[in-house]
């Protein structure tokens, strides 16, 4: 049997930990940082006037030609970690949220602990992000409706 298809998740959903570890996900964002020596990229997306970052482990998609500032879509599995996979610093809990402290060796240690191990990383610069977000929400709505209809059909 094939594994379930990866569902789209927004960067803010991944960075807040609402996605379970090991779950296949698709997400998108603007490439703001790439560190080839650590096989790590940082994607950023804006939601409700706040910038959300997702750390992407790029070992399985290298070599690739990064374009800083371009939009990317990533397909991969989420991972949670007690220790930053890049600089090996431990995590801290501040106000009930998990953070990795910034170190000089690891400048992109944001609110890690939630990372995507990329299987596919594609540049999609020029995509209308507002339209993509709308399409993702429409798809979610369709799947919810279909699940409700199947639930009603099973009950009769």
């Amino acid at each position: 049997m094939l594994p379930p298809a990866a569902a789209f998740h927004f960067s803010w959903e991944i960075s807040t930990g609402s996605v379970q570890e090991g779950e296949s996900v698709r997400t998108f964002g603007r490439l703001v940082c790439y560190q080839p020596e650590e096989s790590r990229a940082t994607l950023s997306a804006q939601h409700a006037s706040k910038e959300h970052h997702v750390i992407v482990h790029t070992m399985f998609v290298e070599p690739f030609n990064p374009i800083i500032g371009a939009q990317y879509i990533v397909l991969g599995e989420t991972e949670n970690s007690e220790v930053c996979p890049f600089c090996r610093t431990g995590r801290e809990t501040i106000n009930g949220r998990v953070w990795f402290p910034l170190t000089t060796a690891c400048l992109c240690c944001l609110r890690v602990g939630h990372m995507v191990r990329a299987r596919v990383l594609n540049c999609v610069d020029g995509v209308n992000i507002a339209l993509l977000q709308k399409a993702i929400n429409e798809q979610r709505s369709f799947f919810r409706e279909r699940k409700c209809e199947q639930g009603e059909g099973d009950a009769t």
Side-chain angles (χ1 to χ4, degrees), residues 4 14 23 30 40 42 63 105 115-116 130 133-134 149 155-156:
I14 295 171
E23 187 175 339
R30 186 169 303 284
R40 175 182 47 189
T42 304
M115 176 181 71
V116 176
Q133 289 178 347
K134 183 178 178 183
E149 288 173 6
T156 58

Side-chain angles (χ1 to χ4, degrees), residues 40 81-92 98-113:
R40 175 182 47 189
S81 178
E82 293 291 324
V83 174
C84 176
F86 308 108
C87 69
R88 304 291 179 213
T89 57
R91 68 182 188 171
E92 300 175 4
V98 177
W99 296 80
F100 285 100
L102 289 170
T103 66
T104 55
C106 190
L107 295 177
C108 284
C109 263
L110 302 165
R111 188 184 177 277
V112 188

Side-chain angles (χ1 to χ4, degrees), residues 6-48:
F8 258 109
H9 289 279
F10 297 114
S11 300
W12 49 93
E13 295 170 337
I14 295 171
S15 66
T16 58
S18 63
V19 179
Q20 293 181 347
E21 182 175 6
E23 187 175 339
S24 292
V25 297
R26 286 183 284 173
T27 192
F28 62 90
R30 186 169 303 284
L31 183 66
V32 294
C33 179
Y34 176 61
Q35 296 173 318
E37 63 280 353
E38 297 172 357
S39 296
R40 175 182 47 189
T42 304
L43 298 181
S44 175
Q46 192 168 357
H47 175 68

Side-chain angles (χ1 to χ4, degrees), residues 29-86:
R30 186 169 303 284
L31 183 66
V32 294
C33 179
Y34 176 61
Q35 296 173 318
E37 63 280 353
E38 297 172 357
S39 296
R40 175 182 47 189
T42 304
L43 298 181
S44 175
Q46 192 168 357
H47 175 68
S49 74
K50 187 175 179 190
E51 200 76 21
H52 297 272
H53 296 87
V54 173
I55 304 297
V56 179
H57 192 262
T58 60
M59 183 187 307
F60 297 141
V61 295
E62 290 175 344
F64 81 102
N65 186 21
I67 303 169
I68 302 297
Q71 291 287 339
Y72 280 82
I73 287 182
V74 62
L75 167 66
E77 292 78 35
T78 58
E79 291 184 1
N80 296 331
S81 178
E82 293 291 324
V83 174
C84 176
F86 308 108

